[in-house]
Amino acid sequence: MRVAVTGANGLVGGAAVALLAGGHEVLAVGRGPCRIPPGPYTWTDADLGDGRSVEAALRDFRAEAVLHAGAMTDVDGCEREPEAAWRVNVGGAEQVARACRSLRARLVAVSTDYVFDGAAGPYGEDDLAKPRGAYARSKRCGEEAAFLIAPGCSVARTAVVYSGRPGAKSTFATQVVEKLRRGEPVKAFYDQIVSPTLAENGAAMVVELLLETDYQGVIHTAGATALDRVDFARRVAARFGLSGEIIPVRTADVKLLAPRPLKAGLRVDRAAALLREKPLGVDAALDRFHAQWLGRGQS
Ligand SMILES: NC(=O)c1ccc[n+]([C@@H]2O[C@H](COP(=O)([O-])OP(=O)(O)OC[C@H]3O[C@@H](n4cnc5c(N)ncnc54)[C@H](OP(=O)(O)O)[C@@H]3O)[C@@H](O)[C@H]2O)c1
């Protein structure tokens, strides 16, 4: 099958390309040069924010299925540049959905727990989205663009993605390991409830959703454990055998540009029932994260 992945340099997109390459004809669509390990896929550089080039790339490839994992994910950056956030996260979703509609290709668009306001999480798929901030609003509108333009698509929401694979971008989880190893304290929000998601687990869920189901509508494909960030940091430290100081911080006491949902997190019962790849509990996911880390020679 001809499968395209946007955001291919990213945490989820990169993990998806690694899963798909070899078994399918894969077009990896990313911004700029390829930064993921080489493999049996074709790379193309296309901008989600320019209104047309991703759409053209998907059409030229004659995609039969598309995983849309590209997005402007810097939450505070989106707050600083809301027009860019809109161009990439709404306009990009439109480009991808238009191509899928005309090609009659299956589409799974990846989204976020930030579509919720964080008043009463963890959230199920049928809970009302109330996005706060430019990133959250642009992602919520990107979801709607996908549904309106490519009815029959699926929106897969994930949360707090991390990975230990070589070259994966720095995240809260990797920073916990790196800082504690250097003997530095780690600050963590005690009042933010999140559902940390190992990128490879999330990618396996969305790839299965894309290629092996015709599920339509929203589904939550995140880690199975909702916990606060201090608890998460402590579990990361414990898994790596690291001691050191983890300082609980209140979100309101830190100057952040964009609002953060506090009681967030995603309920994943639907994905657990539908998919063979199950949402991993936090400790099982951290076992895999630790193994990835050992694999990159930084034990
Ligand atoms: N990361 C999280 O914690 C998190 C949480 C909840 C939901 N999500 C959602 O999950 C999906 C996948 O994100 P991720 O975790 O894989 O984040 P990521 O690592 O930041 O990946 C996003 C990718 O999109 C690319 N991109 C950004 N602007 C672009 C543009 N104008 N044109 C083309 N590509 C562009 C980025 O390119 P560069 O690599 O060049 O920057 C990056 O590779 C997104 O829909 C995101 O909103 C992520």
Side-chain angles (χ1 to χ4, degrees), residues 205-297:
M205 286 191 272
V206 291
V207 164
E208 186 184 336
L209 184 70
L210 179 72
L211 298 184
E212 298 182 45
T213 81
D214 55 5
Y215 180 87
Q216 303 181 5
V218 175
I219 188 162
H220 291 171
T221 51
T225 310
L227 74 180
D228 70 65
R229 282 181 180 269
V230 171
D231 190 357
F232 182 50
R234 287 188 179 136
R235 286 176 196 237
V236 173
R239 186 61 195 85
F240 282 73
L242 293 166
S243 53
E245 201 183 0
I246 294 168
I247 305 169
V249 177
R250 194 167 70 123
T251 306
D253 292 339
V254 178
K255 219 175 150 197
L256 297 164
L257 223 47
R260 278 12 185 214
L262 294 182
K263 277 192 213 138
L266 296 171
R267 288 209 294 272
V268 291
D269 323 56
R270 203 172 283 183
L274 179 72
L275 301 172
R276 273 193 327 280
E277 175 77 17
K278 302 298 176 198
L280 288 176
V282 66
D283 292 319
L286 287 176
D287 285 347
R288 280 179 62 182
F289 177 58
H290 185 245
Q292 291 175 322
W293 201 282
L294 297 183
R296 67 187 198 181

Coordinates of all heavy atoms in Angstrom, one line a residue, residues 205-297:
M205 N -0.3 2.4 17.5 CA -1.7 2.5 17.6 C -2.3 3.2 16.4 O -3.2 2.8 15.8 CB -2.2 3.2 18.9 CG -2.0 2.3 20.1 SD -2.8 3.0 21.6 CE -1.5 4.1 22.2
V206 N -1.7 4.4 16.0 CA -2.3 5.1 14.9 C -2.0 4.5 13.6 O -2.9 4.5 12.7 CB -1.8 6.6 14.9 CG1 -2.4 7.4 16.1 CG2 -0.3 6.8 14.8
V207 N -0.9 3.8 13.4 CA -0.7 3.0 12.2 C -1.7 1.9 12.0 O -2.3 1.7 11.0 CB 0.8 2.5 12.1 CG1 0.9 1.4 11.0 CG2 1.7 3.7 11.9
E208 N -2.0 1.2 13.1 CA -3.0 0.1 13.1 C -4.4 0.7 12.8 O -5.1 0.2 12.0 CB -3.0 -0.6 14.4 CG -3.9 -1.8 14.4 CD -4.0 -2.6 15.7 OE1 -3.0 -2.4 16.6 OE2 -5.0 -3.2 16.0
L209 N -4.7 1.8 13.4 CA -5.9 2.5 13.2 C -6.1 2.9 11.7 O -7.2 2.7 11.1 CB -6.0 3.8 14.1 CG -7.2 4.6 14.1 CD1 -8.3 3.9 14.8 CD2 -6.9 6.0 14.8
L210 N -5.0 3.3 11.1 CA -5.0 3.8 9.7 C -5.2 2.6 8.8 O -6.0 2.7 7.8 CB -3.7 4.5 9.4 CG -3.4 5.0 8.0 CD1 -4.3 6.3 7.8 CD2 -2.0 5.4 7.8
L211 N -4.4 1.6 9.0 CA -4.3 0.5 7.9 C -5.2 -0.7 8.2 O -5.6 -1.4 7.3 CB -2.9 0.0 7.8 CG -1.9 1.1 7.4 CD1 -0.5 0.5 7.2 CD2 -2.3 1.8 6.1
E212 N -5.6 -0.9 9.5 CA -6.3 -2.1 9.8 C -7.8 -1.9 10.3 O -8.4 -2.9 10.6 CB -5.5 -2.9 10.8 CG -4.2 -3.4 10.2 CD -3.4 -4.2 11.2 OE1 -4.0 -5.1 11.8 OE2 -2.2 -3.9 11.4
T213 N -8.2 -0.6 10.3 CA -9.6 -0.4 10.8 C -10.2 0.7 9.8 O -9.4 1.4 9.1 CB -9.7 0.2 12.2 OG1 -9.4 1.6 12.2 CG2 -8.7 -0.5 13.2
D214 N -11.5 0.8 9.8 CA -12.1 1.9 9.2 C -12.8 2.8 10.2 O -13.8 3.4 9.9 CB -13.1 1.4 8.1 CG -14.1 0.4 8.7 OD1 -14.1 0.2 9.9 OD2 -14.9 -0.1 7.9
Y215 N -12.3 2.8 11.4 CA -12.8 3.6 12.5 C -12.9 5.1 12.1 O -12.0 5.6 11.6 CB -12.0 3.4 13.7 CG -12.5 4.2 14.9 CD1 -13.4 3.7 15.8 CD2 -12.1 5.5 15.1 CE1 -13.9 4.4 16.8 CE2 -12.6 6.3 16.2 CZ -13.5 5.7 17.0 OH -14.0 6.5 18.0
Q216 N -14.1 5.6 12.3 CA -14.3 7.1 12.0 C -14.6 7.8 13.2 O -15.2 7.3 14.1 CB -15.5 7.2 11.0 CG -15.4 6.4 9.8 CD -16.6 6.6 8.8 OE1 -17.4 7.4 9.1 NE2 -16.5 5.8 7.7
G217 N -14.1 9.1 13.3 CA -14.3 9.9 14.5 C -13.1 10.0 15.4 O -12.0 9.6 15.0
V218 N -13.3 10.5 16.6 CA -12.2 10.7 17.5 C -11.9 9.5 18.3 O -12.8 8.7 18.7 CB -12.6 11.9 18.5 CG1 -11.5 12.0 19.6 CG2 -12.9 13.2 17.8
I219 N -10.6 9.3 18.5 CA -10.2 8.2 19.4 C -8.9 8.6 20.1 O -8.1 9.4 19.6 CB -9.9 6.9 18.6 CG1 -9.7 5.7 19.5 CG2 -8.8 7.0 17.6 CD1 -9.8 4.3 18.9
H220 N -8.8 8.3 21.4 CA -7.7 8.7 22.2 C -6.6 7.6 22.2 O -6.9 6.4 22.6 CB -8.1 9.0 23.6 CG -9.0 10.2 23.7 ND1 -9.6 10.6 24.8 CD2 -9.2 11.2 22.8 CE1 -10.3 11.7 24.6 NE2 -10.1 12.1 23.3
T221 N -5.5 7.9 21.6 CA -4.4 6.9 21.5 C -3.2 7.4 22.3 O -2.2 7.9 21.7 CB -4.0 6.7 20.0 OG1 -3.8 8.0 19.4 CG2 -5.1 6.0 19.2
A222 N -3.3 7.4 23.6 CA -2.3 7.9 24.5 C -1.9 6.7 25.5 O -2.4 5.6 25.4 CB -2.8 9.1 25.3
G223 N -0.9 7.0 26.3 CA -0.5 6.1 27.4 C -1.7 5.8 28.3 O -2.7 6.6 28.4
A224 N -1.7 4.7 29.0 CA -2.9 4.3 29.7 C -2.9 4.8 31.1 O -3.9 4.7 31.8 CB -2.9 2.7 29.8
T225 N -1.9 5.5 31.6 CA -1.8 6.0 32.9 C -1.9 7.5 33.0 O -1.0 8.2 32.3 CB -0.5 5.6 33.6 OG1 -0.3 4.2 33.5 CG2 -0.6 5.9 35.1
A226 N -2.9 8.1 33.7 CA -2.9 9.5 33.9 C -2.3 9.8 35.3 O -2.7 9.2 36.3 CB -4.3 10.1 33.8
L227 N -1.3 10.7 35.3 CA -0.7 11.0 36.6 C -0.1 12.4 36.6 O 0.0 13.0 35.5 CB 0.4 9.9 36.9 CG 1.8 10.0 36.1 CD1 2.7 8.8 36.5 CD2 1.6 9.9 34.6
D228 N 0.3 12.9 37.7 CA 0.9 14.3 37.7 C 2.3 14.2 37.3 O 3.0 13.1 37.3 CB 0.6 15.0 39.0 CG 1.5 14.4 40.2 OD1 2.7 14.5 40.1 OD2 0.9 13.9 41.1
R229 N 2.9 15.4 36.9 CA 4.2 15.4 36.3 C 5.3 15.0 37.3 O 6.4 14.5 37.0 CB 4.5 16.7 35.6 CG 3.8 16.8 34.3 CD 4.2 18.2 33.6 NE 3.6 18.4 32.3 CZ 4.2 18.0 31.2 NH1 5.4 17.5 31.1 NH2 3.6 18.3 30.0
V230 N 5.0 15.3 38.6 CA 6.0 15.0 39.6 C 6.1 13.4 39.7 O 7.2 12.9 39.8 CB 5.7 15.6 41.0 CG1 6.6 15.1 42.1 CG2 5.8 17.1 40.9
D231 N 4.9 12.8 39.8 CA 4.9 11.4 39.8 C 5.6 10.8 38.6 O 6.4 9.8 38.7 CB 3.4 10.9 39.9 CG 3.2 9.5 40.2 OD1 4.2 8.7 40.3 OD2 2.0 9.0 40.3
F232 N 5.3 11.3 37.4 CA 5.9 10.8 36.2 C 7.5 11.0 36.3 O 8.2 10.0 36.0 CB 5.4 11.6 35.0 CG 6.0 11.1 33.7 CD1 6.0 9.8 33.4 CD2 6.5 12.0 32.8 CE1 6.5 9.3 32.1 CE2 7.0 11.6 31.5 CZ 7.0 10.2 31.2
A233 N 7.9 12.1 36.7 CA 9.4 12.4 36.9 C 10.0 11.4 37.8 O 11.1 10.8 37.6 CB 9.7 13.8 37.3
R234 N 9.3 11.1 38.9 CA 9.8 10.2 39.9 C 9.9 8.8 39.4 O 10.9 8.0 39.6 CB 9.0 10.2 41.2 CG 9.2 11.4 42.0 CD 8.5 11.4 43.3 NE 8.7 12.6 44.1 CZ 7.8 13.3 44.8 NH1 6.5 12.8 44.8 NH2 8.1 14.4 45.4
R235 N 8.9 8.4 38.6 CA 9.0 7.1 37.9 C 10.1 6.9 36.9 O 10.7 5.9 36.8 CB 7.6 6.7 37.3 CG 6.5 6.4 38.4 CD 5.2 6.2 37.7 NE 4.1 6.3 38.6 CZ 3.2 5.3 38.8 NH1 3.4 4.2 38.1 NH2 2.3 5.5 39.6
V236 N 10.3 8.0 36.1 CA 11.4 8.0 35.2 C 12.7 7.8 36.0 O 13.5 6.9 35.6 CB 11.5 9.3 34.4 CG1 12.7 9.4 33.5 CG2 10.2 9.5 33.5
A237 N 12.9 8.6 37.0 CA 14.1 8.5 37.8 C 14.3 7.1 38.4 O 15.4 6.5 38.3 CB 14.1 9.5 38.9
A238 N 13.2 6.5 38.9 CA 13.3 5.2 39.5 C 13.7 4.2 38.4 O 14.6 3.3 38.7 CB 12.0 4.8 40.1
R239 N 13.1 4.3 37.2 CA 13.4 3.3 36.2 C 14.9 3.3 35.8 O 15.5 2.3 35.4 CB 12.5 3.5 35.0 CG 12.6 2.5 33.9 CD 12.2 1.1 34.5 NE 12.6 0.0 33.8 CZ 13.8 -0.6 33.8 NH1 14.8 -0.1 34.5 NH2 14.1 -1.7 33.1
F240 N 15.5 4.5 35.8 CA 16.9 4.7 35.4 C 17.8 4.6 36.6 O 19.0 4.8 36.5 CB 17.1 6.0 34.7 CG 16.6 6.0 33.3 CD1 15.2 6.0 33.0 CD2 17.5 6.0 32.2 CE1 14.8 6.0 31.7 CE2 17.1 6.0 30.9 CZ 15.7 6.0 30.6
G241 N 17.2 4.3 37.8 CA 18.1 4.1 39.0 C 18.7 5.4 39.4 O 19.9 5.5 39.9
L242 N 18.1 6.5 39.1 CA 18.6 7.9 39.4 C 18.0 8.4 40.7 O 16.8 8.4 40.9 CB 18.4 8.8 38.3 CG 19.1 8.5 37.0 CD1 18.5 9.3 35.8 CD2 20.6 8.7 37.1
S243 N 18.9 9.0 41.5 CA 18.4 9.7 42.7 C 18.6 11.2 42.3 O 19.2 11.5 41.3 CB 19.1 9.3 44.0 OG 20.4 9.4 43.8
G244 N 18.2 12.1 43.2 CA 18.4 13.5 42.9 C 17.1 14.2 43.2 O 16.1 13.6 43.5
E245 N 17.2 15.5 43.1 CA 16.1 16.3 43.5 C 15.0 16.6 42.5 O 15.3 17.0 41.4 CB 16.6 17.6 44.0 CG 15.7 18.3 45.0 CD 16.2 19.7 45.4 OE1 17.3 20.1 45.0 OE2 15.5 20.4 46.2
I246 N 13.8 16.2 42.8 CA 12.6 16.6 41.9 C 11.8 17.6 42.6 O 11.2 17.3 43.7 CB 11.9 15.3 41.5 CG1 12.7 14.4 40.6 CG2 10.6 15.7 40.7 CD1 12.2 13.1 40.3
I247 N 11.8 18.8 42.1 CA 11.1 19.9 42.9 C 9.7 20.1 42.4 O 9.5 20.5 41.2 CB 11.9 21.2 42.7 CG1 13.4 21.0 43.1 CG2 11.3 22.4 43.5 CD1 14.3 22.2 42.7
P248 N 8.7 19.9 43.2 CA 7.3 20.1 42.8 C 7.1 21.6 42.6 O 7.4 22.4 43.5 CB 6.5 19.6 43.9 CG 7.4 18.7 44.7 CD 8.7 19.3 44.6
V249 N 6.4 22.0 41.5 CA 6.2 23.4 41.2 C 4.7 23.5 40.8 O 4.1 22.6 40.2 CB 7.1 23.8 40.0 CG1 6.8 25.3 39.6 CG2 8.5 23.6 40.3
R250 N 4.1 24.7 41.2 CA 2.8 25.0 40.8 C 2.8 25.7 39.4 O 3.5 26.7 39.2 CB 2.1 25.8 41.8 CG 0.6 25.9 41.7 CD 0.0 26.5 43.0 NE 0.4 27.9 43.1 CZ -0.5 28.9 43.1 NH1 -1.8 28.6 43.2 NH2 -0.1 30.2 43.2
T251 N 1.9 25.3 38.5 CA 1.9 25.9 37.2 C 1.8 27.4 37.2 O 2.5 28.1 36.5 CB 0.8 25.3 36.3 OG1 0.9 23.8 36.3 CG2 0.8 25.7 34.9
A252 N 0.9 27.9 38.1 CA 0.6 29.3 38.1 C 1.8 30.1 38.6 O 1.9 31.3 38.4 CB -0.6 29.6 39.0
D253 N 2.8 29.4 39.2 CA 3.9 30.2 39.7 C 5.0 30.3 38.7 O 6.1 30.9 39.0 CB 4.5 29.4 41.0 CG 3.6 29.5 42.1 OD1 2.7 30.5 42.1 OD2 3.6 28.7 43.1
V254 N 4.8 29.7 37.5 CA 5.8 29.8 36.4 C 5.2 30.7 35.3 O 4.1 30.5 34.9 CB 6.2 28.4 35.9 CG1 7.2 28.5 34.8 CG2 6.8 27.6 37.0
K255 N 6.1 31.6 34.8 CA 5.6 32.5 33.7 C 5.6 31.7 32.4 O 6.7 31.4 31.9 CB 6.4 33.7 33.6 CG 5.6 34.9 33.4 CD 6.5 36.2 33.4 CE 6.0 37.2 32.5 NZ 6.9 38.2 32.1
L256 N 4.4 31.3 31.9 CA 4.3 30.6 30.7 C 3.4 31.4 29.7 O 2.4 31.9 30.2 CB 3.7 29.2 30.9 CG 4.5 28.2 31.7 CD1 3.6 27.1 32.2 CD2 5.7 27.7 31.0
L257 N 3.8 31.4 28.5 CA 3.0 32.3 27.5 C 1.6 31.7 27.3 O 0.6 32.4 27.4 CB 3.7 32.3 26.2 CG 3.8 33.7 25.5 CD1 4.2 34.8 26.4 CD2 4.8 33.5 24.4
A258 N 1.5 30.4 27.1 CA 0.3 29.7 26.7 C -0.3 29.1 28.0 O 0.4 28.5 28.8 CB 0.5 28.7 25.6
P259 N -1.7 29.0 28.0 CA -2.3 28.3 29.2 C -2.1 26.8 29.0 O -2.0 26.3 27.9 CB -3.8 28.7 29.0 CG -4.0 29.2 27.6 CD -2.6 29.7 27.1
R260 N -2.0 26.1 30.2 CA -1.8 24.7 30.2 C -3.1 24.1 30.8 O -3.5 24.6 31.9 CB -0.6 24.3 31.1 CG 0.8 24.3 30.6 CD 1.1 24.9 29.3 NE 2.5 24.8 28.9 CZ 3.2 25.7 28.3 NH1 2.6 26.9 28.0 NH2 4.4 25.5 27.9
P261 N -3.6 23.0 30.2 CA -4.7 22.4 30.9 C -4.2 21.7 32.2 O -3.1 21.0 32.1 CB -5.2 21.3 29.9 CG -4.2 21.3 28.8 CD -3.3 22.4 29.0
L262 N -4.8 21.8 33.3 CA -4.3 21.2 34.5 C -4.8 19.7 34.7 O -4.0 18.8 34.6 CB -4.6 22.1 35.7 CG -4.0 23.4 35.7 CD1 -4.3 24.2 37.0 CD2 -2.4 23.3 35.6
K263 N -6.0 19.6 35.0 CA -6.5 18.2 35.1 C -6.8 17.7 33.6 O -7.9 17.7 33.2 CB -7.8 18.1 35.9 CG -7.6 18.1 37.4 CD -8.8 17.7 38.1 CE -8.8 18.5 39.4 NZ -10.1 19.0 39.8
A264 N -5.7 17.3 32.9 CA -5.9 16.8 31.6 C -5.8 15.3 31.6 O -6.4 14.7 32.5 CB -4.9 17.5 30.7
G265 N -5.1 14.8 30.6 CA -5.1 13.3 30.5 C -6.2 12.8 29.7 O -7.3 13.4 29.5
L266 N -6.0 11.6 29.1 CA -7.0 11.1 28.1 C -7.4 9.6 28.6 O -6.5 8.8 28.9 CB -6.4 11.0 26.7 CG -6.0 12.3 26.1 CD1 -5.2 12.1 24.8 CD2 -7.3 13.2 25.8
R267 N -8.7 9.4 28.5 CA -9.1 8.0 28.8 C -9.0 7.2 27.5 O -9.3 7.7 26.4 CB -10.6 8.0 29.2 CG -10.7 8.5 30.7 CD -11.9 7.8 31.4 NE -13.1 8.3 30.8 CZ -13.8 9.4 31.2 NH1 -13.3 10.1 32.1 NH2 -14.9 9.7 30.6
V268 N -8.5 6.0 27.6 CA -8.1 5.3 26.3 C -8.8 3.9 26.2 O -8.4 3.1 25.5 CB -6.6 5.0 26.3 CG1 -5.8 6.4 26.1 CG2 -6.1 4.3 27.6
D269 N -10.0 3.8 26.9 CA -10.7 2.5 26.8 C -11.1 2.1 25.4 O -11.0 1.0 25.0 CB -12.0 2.6 27.6 CG -11.8 3.4 28.9 OD1 -11.4 4.6 28.8 OD2 -12.1 2.9 30.0
R270 N -11.4 3.1 24.6 CA -11.8 2.8 23.2 C -10.7 2.2 22.4 O -10.9 1.2 21.7 CB -12.3 4.1 22.6 CG -13.3 3.9 21.4 CD -13.9 5.2 20.9 NE -15.0 5.7 21.7 CZ -15.7 6.8 21.4 NH1 -15.5 7.4 20.3 NH2 -16.7 7.2 22.2
A271 N -9.5 2.8 22.5 CA -8.4 2.3 21.8 C -8.0 0.9 22.3 O -7.7 0.0 21.6 CB -7.2 3.2 21.9
A272 N -8.1 0.8 23.6 CA -7.8 -0.5 24.3 C -8.7 -1.6 23.7 O -8.3 -2.8 23.5 CB -7.8 -0.4 25.8
A273 N -10.0 -1.3 23.5 CA -10.9 -2.3 23.0 C -10.8 -2.5 21.5 O -11.0 -3.7 21.1 CB -12.4 -1.8 23.3
L274 N -10.4 -1.5 20.8 CA -10.4 -1.6 19.3 C -9.1 -2.2 18.8 O -9.1 -3.0 17.8 CB -10.6 -0.2 18.7 CG -10.6 -0.1 17.2 CD1 -11.9 -0.8 16.6 CD2 -10.5 1.3 16.7
L275 N -8.0 -1.9 19.4 CA -6.7 -2.1 18.7 C -5.9 -3.3 19.4 O -6.1 -3.5 20.6 CB -5.8 -0.9 18.8 CG -6.4 0.4 18.2 CD1 -5.6 1.6 18.5 CD2 -6.6 0.2 16.7
R276 N -5.1 -4.0 18.6 CA -4.2 -5.0 19.1 C -3.1 -4.4 19.9 O -2.7 -4.8 20.9 CB -3.6 -5.8 18.0 CG -4.4 -7.0 17.4 CD -3.5 -7.9 16.6 NE -2.5 -7.1 15.8 CZ -2.7 -6.5 14.7 NH1 -4.0 -6.5 14.2 NH2 -1.8 -5.8 14.0
E277 N -2.6 -3.3 19.4 CA -1.6 -2.5 20.1 C -2.3 -1.8 21.2 O -3.1 -0.9 21.0 CB -0.9 -1.5 19.2 CG 0.1 -0.6 19.8 CD 1.5 -1.3 20.2 OE1 1.8 -2.3 19.6 OE2 2.2 -0.7 21.0
K278 N -2.0 -2.2 22.5 CA -2.7 -1.6 23.6 C -2.0 -0.3 24.1 O -0.7 -0.3 24.1 CB -2.8 -2.6 24.7 CG -3.5 -3.9 24.3 CD -4.9 -3.7 23.9 CE -5.6 -5.0 23.4 NZ -6.8 -4.7 22.6
P279 N -2.7 0.6 24.6 CA -2.1 1.8 25.3 C -1.3 1.3 26.5 O -1.8 0.5 27.3 CB -3.3 2.6 25.8 CG -4.4 2.2 25.0 CD -4.2 0.7 24.6
L280 N 0.0 1.6 26.5 CA 0.8 1.1 27.6 C 0.7 1.9 28.9 O 0.6 3.1 28.9 CB 2.3 1.2 27.2 CG 2.8 0.2 26.1 CD1 4.3 0.5 25.8 CD2 2.7 -1.2 26.6
G281 N 0.6 1.1 30.0 CA 0.7 1.8 31.3 C 2.1 2.4 31.5 O 3.0 2.1 30.7
V282 N 2.2 3.4 32.4 CA 3.4 4.2 32.4 C 4.6 3.4 32.7 O 5.7 3.6 32.1 CB 3.2 5.4 33.4 CG1 3.1 4.9 34.9 CG2 4.4 6.4 33.3
D283 N 4.5 2.4 33.6 CA 5.7 1.6 34.0 C 6.2 0.7 32.8 O 7.4 0.6 32.5 CB 5.5 0.9 35.3 CG 5.4 1.8 36.4 OD1 6.1 2.8 36.5 OD2 4.5 1.6 37.3
A284 N 5.3 0.1 32.1 CA 5.6 -0.7 30.9 C 6.3 0.2 29.9 O 7.2 -0.2 29.2 CB 4.4 -1.4 30.4
A285 N 5.7 1.4 29.7 CA 6.2 2.3 28.7 C 7.7 2.7 29.1 O 8.6 2.8 28.2 CB 5.3 3.5 28.5
L286 N 7.9 3.0 30.4 CA 9.2 3.4 30.8 C 10.2 2.3 30.7 O 11.4 2.5 30.5 CB 9.1 3.9 32.2 CG 8.5 5.3 32.4 CD1 8.3 5.7 33.8 CD2 9.2 6.4 31.6
D287 N 9.8 1.0 30.8 CA 10.7 -0.1 30.5 C 11.2 0.0 29.1 O 12.4 -0.2 28.8 CB 10.0 -1.4 30.7 CG 9.8 -1.8 32.2 OD1 10.4 -1.1 33.1 OD2 9.0 -2.7 32.5
R288 N 10.3 0.3 28.2 CA 10.7 0.4 26.8 C 11.5 1.6 26.5 O 12.5 1.6 25.7 CB 9.4 0.4 25.8 CG 8.9 -1.0 25.6 CD 7.7 -1.1 24.8 NE 7.9 -0.6 23.4 CZ 6.9 -0.5 22.5 NH1 5.7 -0.9 22.8 NH2 7.2 -0.1 21.3
F289 N 11.2 2.7 27.2 CA 12.0 3.9 27.1 C 13.4 3.7 27.5 O 14.4 4.1 26.9 CB 11.3 5.0 27.9 CG 12.0 6.3 28.0 CD1 12.3 7.1 26.9 CD2 12.3 6.8 29.2 CE1 12.9 8.3 27.0 CE2 12.9 8.1 29.3 CZ 13.2 8.8 28.2
H290 N 13.5 3.0 28.6 CA 14.8 2.7 29.2 C 15.6 1.8 28.2 O 16.8 2.0 28.0 CB 14.7 2.0 30.6 CG 15.9 1.7 31.3 ND1 16.4 0.4 31.5 CD2 16.9 2.5 31.8 CE1 17.6 0.5 32.2 NE2 17.9 1.8 32.3
A291 N 15.0 0.8 27.7 CA 15.6 -0.1 26.7 C 16.1 0.7 25.5 O 17.2 0.5 25.0 CB 14.7 -1.2 26.3
Q292 N 15.3 1.6 25.0 CA 15.7 2.5 23.9 C 16.9 3.2 24.2 O 17.9 3.4 23.4 CB 14.6 3.5 23.5 CG 13.3 2.9 22.9 CD 12.3 4.0 22.8 OE1 12.1 4.9 23.6 NE2 11.5 3.9 21.7
W293 N 17.0 3.7 25.4 CA 18.1 4.6 25.9 C 19.4 3.7 25.9 O 20.4 4.2 25.5 CB 17.8 5.1 27.3 CG 18.6 6.3 27.6 CD1 19.9 6.3 28.1 CD2 18.1 7.7 27.6 NE1 20.3 7.6 28.3 CE2 19.2 8.5 28.0 CE3 16.9 8.3 27.2 CZ2 19.2 9.8 28.1 CZ3 16.9 9.7 27.3 CH2 18.0 10.4 27.7
L294 N 19.2 2.5 26.5 CA 20.4 1.6 26.5 C 20.9 1.3 25.1 O 22.1 1.3 24.8 CB 20.1 0.3 27.2 CG 19.7 0.3 28.7 CD1 19.4 -1.1 29.2 CD2 20.7 1.1 29.5
G295 N 19.9 1.2 24.2 CA 20.2 0.9 22.8 C 21.0 2.0 22.1 O 21.7 1.8 21.1
R296 N 20.9 3.2 22.6 CA 21.6 4.3 21.9 C 22.9 4.6 22.6 O 23.6 5.6 22.4 CB 20.8 5.5 21.8 CG 20.4 6.3 23.1 CD 19.4 7.4 22.7 NE 19.4 8.4 23.8 CZ 18.6 9.4 23.8 NH1 17.8 9.7 22.8 NH2 18.6 10.3 24.8
G297 N 23.3 3.6 23.5 CA 24.7 3.7 24.0 C 24.9 4.7 25.1 O 26.0 5.3 25.2

